[in-house]
Amino acid sequence: MKTATFSVLITLSALLPLLTAQGVDLTLQREASGSDVVRAAVNRIQTVLDFDRQFLRRIAFVESRDGTDTDTYRPGYNGGIWQVDEDKFLTTQANSALNVERHDAIREAFDIDWPSVQWRDLRIPLYSGIAARLFLLNISDTESIPCDVPGQAAYYNRVYCGLTSNETEQEFIENVNTLTNRNPCRVNSDIVMVLDESGSIGSANFNRVREFVVQYVDSLQIGPNDNRVGVITFGTTARQQFNLDTHSTATSLRNAVVNLQYSEGGTNIPDALCRLRQVYSDDARTDPGVFRVAMVLTDGQSTINTNDCGYSSVAEAAAALRAASPLINVFAIGVGSNVLRRDLVAIASEEQYIFSSADFSQLSCVQSVQEEQICNTLTTTVLRNATNSGELDRDEVIRWQFTIPGCGVSFNLTVQEGDVILYASTETTAPNEAIYQWRIEVSTSSNSFEVINIIPSLGDNAVNCSSVTNVTVFTTIVGINVTNMFTVSTDDDLGETSTDTTTVDNDFEIPVLVIINFAAVIVVPIIVVILLSVCCCIVIIVVVCGVRDRKKKYHYKHSDAETSPKN
């Protein structure tokens, strides 16, 4: 099949203050609906009100099919996508100490004064989601949300629906299964499991750890070009059980995990992080579409700090790992009450990547939530000034993040086959159709050319953009056709791309864009005002002339009547 190449040049520049993107946020649009709207709302809410084991996401689908049910926004009912009844909503505004703390967090994150919100405002998706989450938090202060689907079904039936029978449980399970099958998780990752095998674990709990890893591995597509898994265990010292490239099939990988041996000993987390750094340095793939994910599981604080890297503490080892391998997304899993919170914070790449479990029987909760994060929010950092290639199936996504200088860089998106949509944002980590600042679509079936200027929001630093060295741009790239092949390249020289592309003359590109945008932003509104003023003047003149004409006719009529001879 003969294919053509079409390009979209995206220039990110703080030098062009008029070239701003309109942006879209459907989470704040009244009566908006759809899976992208729900995912965007949930992602925003979870950054403020903690993770809920996918329960909020599932309720939206169970209650209203993500707002697409025809009676979601029915007259007289304002519960919105999450179908929050008015009495439930009112409990979220109660003046309890925890509620006040959460209200403050909502005000800071979303500029929403929750005590002033009305029930009718829940027709806005973000408001409906916040209300549902606050209601559940008020309950879960004394009762945790289960992590397994049957447990959540019972919890949903009893707590969210307020029922004493189990009439909605099977419906919940069936809907969650439908949701899962509708949105399969398809990512390629180099995953390293770092597992505590110290004496405090015990052989029975280490068996549960093995079961956790097996369950996780079984959920992945394993292969040299798909997901690869390596395992490190640590007690008194760290041991690399097998490398990322040791097992290329799911069967051999599963057998290797089942046969992991438990050795007891002390707890040497710094040595485990030292070994983790070496694994990614030696064996990890460099493809931009491959996630690097590490999971560090421990049940206690480090009692030994000797290691080949010379780290003296967990914090030092974790900081060195991040500095040497900034592309790794590290999840920290603490089991039991002996884990130091500060160690988990030091190990995890982000605070949202920290998981705590009361005991080893709850590890399945961690697996399900982690999978949701990896599929729907995790991004992989790609280097600028390089060409990054990708291939997507229909509806498959890749999330890349770029760190750019404050004055901007040029992005060149080239599609060799298919149709690709790119969403970009500096504000949300997972832009999609419902929430983004910039959107472009490039297709091999359309001879279109487009220039879009994306401006990092630098606030007071906008004038001195060169003083800002790190602005993160998050992108989500979606495949539309059955097969979609594309490349993204960048260049620090604004207006010049690192690949051959059809574009306007670089010497005149920015001035032309400034003129066009100046006309769009300044001149056009002035012309509209002038035209409206002229129209108003014309209307006034017509009205005045009409009145004068009627007066003249009246005057002539009566003048004729007075001068005509009487019979």
Side-chain angles (χ1 to χ4, degrees), residues 170-232:
Q170 188 57 37
E171 179 185 355
F172 182 94
I173 294 171
E174 291 172 356
N175 276 305
V176 170
N177 290 337
T178 299
L179 177 64
T180 303
N181 294 332
R182 179 179 293 186
N183 298 286
C185 180
R186 294 176 293 188
V187 295
N188 294 336
S189 307
D190 278 345
I191 304 169
V192 179
M193 314 289 287
V194 184
L195 310 174
D196 191 338
E197 60 171 347
S198 60
S200 58
I201 296 283
S203 58
N205 283 331
F206 194 75
N207 285 336
R208 292 192 175 95
V209 171
R210 275 195 293 256
E211 292 171 2
F212 161 68
V213 178
V214 167
Q215 183 181 18
Y216 189 83
V217 166
D218 285 345
S219 70
L220 302 172
Q221 181 71 34
I222 301 298
N225 297 316
D226 295 304
N227 294 286
R228 307 188 308 168
V229 178
V231 170
I232 296 171

Side-chain angles (χ1 to χ4, degrees), residues 391-431:
E391 183 172 346
L392 298 169
D393 296 333
R394 188 191 302 275
D395 296 329
E396 190 176 4
V397 304
I398 288 179
R399 291 187 177 88
W400 291 344
Q401 69 180 58
F402 299 82
T403 301
I404 67 169
C407 292
V409 300
S410 296
F411 271 53
N412 182 37
L413 170 65
T414 304
V415 175
Q416 291 82 24
E417 181 179 352
D419 187 352
V420 172
I421 299 177
L422 183 147
Y423 304 97
S425 176
T426 58
E427 298 176 354
T428 179
T429 60

Side-chain angles (χ1 to χ4, degrees), residues 195-206 234-237 262-268 298-301 303-304 338 360:
L195 310 174
D196 191 338
E197 60 171 347
S198 60
S200 58
I201 296 283
S203 58
N205 283 331
F206 194 75
F234 66 94
T236 302
T237 60
Y262 174 58
S263 67
E264 301 188 18
T267 305
N268 192 341
T298 183
D299 77 331
Q301 54 188 293
T303 58
I304 304 171
N338 294 323
F360 287 89

